[in-house]
Amino acid sequence: MDDSIKRWTAKRKTALVSEIIQGKTTVAEASRSFDLTPSEIEGWVEDAKRGMENSLRANPLDIREQYEKQLKDLQEAYGEAMLELRARKKAASPAGCAGRELIRSIQQGLLSEGIMVSIAKLCAWFGVPRRTVYYTPTKAAPKVDPRFADPIKEMIEQEPSFGYRTVAWLLGFNKNTVQRIFQLKGWQVRKRAIGMRPRIQAVPSVATAPNERWSTDLARVWTGKDGWASLALVIDCHTRELLGWHLSRSGKATTATAALEHALIARFGTLGRVEREFLLRSDNGLVFTSRHFTALVRSYGLRQEFITPHCPQQNGMVERVIRTLKEQCTHRHRFESIQHATRVIGDWISFYNHRRPHQALAMRTPAEAFRLAA
């Protein structure tokens, strides 16, 4: 060896390792001579042996093994790519799925075809964190207190058309609590679909004080063996109070006259000319435009006003009362006769005037609204 070389270059290491392999020196002698550790010299020897082994391995058989390994790796990569493509096609089919539901649905779809793919691989393909798939929600389902739910259920079974405000007022519960229970239980009243229809500009059927404007209209009611009957109603447009009504087998002017006289007695206590003239609104039906009815209205000191033809929304207050009466009363009973219908409708009108709250009256009943206004 050339002792003038001071640095342990690759050439100097090769010379020392060759002497040790040839037996000219030992690891211990080299360690003492060159002030090196035995482990360091042994590491050089092992590296040299591995290098010689690799250089001698380059024969046709080894090259074939390398090609076969590369081909196998390519086949595995191609198979995984095709599997990922299949999974992505399945991911396009379920609509509205994301995260955990997406990964689970894809795995189940592939499993049904006999292909097992791990959750980790699917998450890597679709960029979904694994913790999203494995996460189990711990939030408990909302609980409903039976102290509130039972009375509410009992009331809406009796009156299915009652909304949450009416139920809350009648039971003395907080309306937000009742609304929440309605939502959780699916007890909301379904609203009727209303399409877009043209409206004209006209004076609405409203009043700023009692006995300023009344409104009247007719409705048809099935009374069993007595057939169809006509129901005439009269309401005060300010208090929404049903003042007069009459159910008759004939739809003549006498039916509307009886309802009007009933309203005058209920409000003023007697029949006769009113002290101050006020309006009576109606549609243009033959009953309300007849000579008998118009003469009677004038004799009591009232002044008639008629809505625009084919515009029932201008008489909306009494039309809305008729709808409420049908939903909550007449459509829920199978009347046997006109006497049976008269009794049931009379009970409901009493309930409407004295017990049923009205949202437009700040959840007061029509009778309470009249007392406050008077």
Side-chain angles (χ1 to χ4, degrees), residues 51 59 97 108 156-157 169 176 185 187 196 245 267:
N59 54 54
C97 294
Q108 292 297 325
I156 63 175
E157 284 178 349
W169 190 89
N176 295 330
K185 294 290 188 177
W187 292 342
M196 182 58 187
W245 63 280
R267 178 53 57 90

Side-chain angles (χ1 to χ4, degrees), residues 3-175:
D3 294 336
S4 62
I5 301 175
K6 302 300 180 183
R7 292 173 56 254
W8 284 100
T9 61
K11 183 177 179 181
R12 190 178 179 191
K13 290 179 184 178
T14 303
L16 177 60
V17 170
S18 298
E19 291 181 357
I20 293 173
I21 292 174
Q22 294 172 6
K24 294 181 180 179
T25 183
T26 63
V27 174
E29 292 176 356
S31 175
R32 287 192 299 269
S33 301
F34 300 105
D35 194 19
L36 297 171
T37 61
S39 60
E40 188 176 6
I41 298 174
E42 289 176 353
W44 294 348
V45 175
E46 292 297 326
D47 292 341
K49 289 180 179 180
R50 283 195 296 270
M52 287 187 291
E53 183 179 355
N54 292 333
S55 62
L56 295 174
R57 190 179 291 173
N59 54 54
L61 182 62
D62 296 332
I63 293 173
R64 181 180 177 182
E65 289 179 357
Q66 291 178 10
Y67 286 158
E68 288 179 351
K69 186 177 183 303
Q70 292 177 359
L71 181 60
K72 185 178 180 181
D73 293 342
L74 287 173
Q75 288 175 345
E76 290 179 355
Y78 176 76
E80 186 168 343
M82 293 301 294
L83 191 60
E84 181 179 355
L85 180 62
R86 200 166 189 172
R88 291 192 179 277
K89 287 182 178 179
K90 285 194 171 293
S93 57
C97 294
R100 178 170 57 247
E101 293 80 7
L102 175 67
I103 299 299
R104 294 291 185 188
S105 63
I106 295 173
Q107 189 184 39
Q108 292 297 325
L110 293 174
L111 192 61
S112 64
E113 299 178 4
I115 304 171
M116 181 62 188
V117 184
S118 66
I119 295 290
K121 189 167 289 187
L122 289 173
C123 290
W125 288 346
F126 293 96
V128 177
R130 281 186 294 172
R131 63 179 179 180
T132 301
V133 180
Y134 294 125
Y135 172 73
T136 302
T138 57
K139 185 178 180 181
K143 296 181 180 179
V144 177
D145 194 339
R147 293 179 302 160
F148 297 106
D150 294 344
I152 292 172
K153 184 178 181 181
E154 183 179 355
M155 176 166 286
I156 63 175
E157 284 178 349
Q158 296 175 358
E159 300 291 343
S161 60
F162 280 3
Y164 74 90
R165 292 184 182 89
T166 303
V167 172
W169 190 89
L170 292 174
L171 294 178
F173 294 162
N174 183 282
K175 68 181 180 68

Side-chain angles (χ1 to χ4, degrees), residues 216-358:
T216 183
D217 201 359
L218 288 171
R220 302 267 283 171
V221 177
W222 177 254
T223 59
K225 66 179 183 180
D226 293 324
W228 286 104
S230 297
L231 175 65
L233 299 173
V234 179
I235 69 165
D236 187 324
C237 294
H238 179 72
T239 64
R240 272 75 167 177
E241 186 176 2
L242 266 168
L243 297 172
W245 63 280
H246 185 71
L247 184 64
S248 171
R249 269 185 265 189
S250 71
K252 297 181 180 180
T254 53
T255 304
T257 300
L260 179 59
E261 291 177 342
H262 184 188
L264 290 169
I265 294 173
R267 178 53 57 90
F268 302 107
T270 183
L271 277 176
R273 191 174 185 86
V274 297
E275 296 180 358
R276 186 169 58 87
E277 182 187 69
F278 58 88
L279 299 172
L280 178 65
R281 175 171 287 206
S282 67
D283 58 24
N284 299 272
L286 296 176
V287 170
F288 304 114
T289 57
S290 66
R291 294 178 181 177
H292 175 74
F293 187 79
T294 55
L296 187 75
V297 170
R298 285 196 301 270
S299 68
Y300 288 134
L302 280 62
R303 182 162 57 90
Q304 277 187 284
E305 64 174 2
F306 299 98
I307 65 173
T308 306
H310 312 293
C311 296
Q313 65 272 14
Q314 295 179 11
N315 203 19
M317 287 197 180
V318 70
E319 296 284 0
R320 186 61 179 86
V321 170
I322 290 174
R323 172 186 159 184
T324 304
L325 184 144
K326 288 182 177 179
E327 289 178 346
Q328 299 183 6
C329 181
T330 60
H331 289 172
R332 300 191 61 244
H333 294 85
R334 189 185 294 274
F335 300 129
E336 298 175 358
S337 62
I338 195 168
Q339 290 80 13
H340 181 206
T342 301
R343 185 171 62 254
V344 173
I345 292 173
D347 293 340
W348 183 86
I349 289 176
S350 177
F351 165 77
Y352 174 87
N353 285 334
H354 300 283
R355 290 188 54 209
R356 185 183 182 276
H358 203 295

Side-chain angles (χ1 to χ4, degrees), residues 183-195:
Q183 292 172 347
L184 293 176
K185 294 290 188 177
W187 292 342
Q188 298 100 322
V189 180
R190 293 185 179 180
K191 293 184 178 180
R192 288 168 43 173
I194 299 176

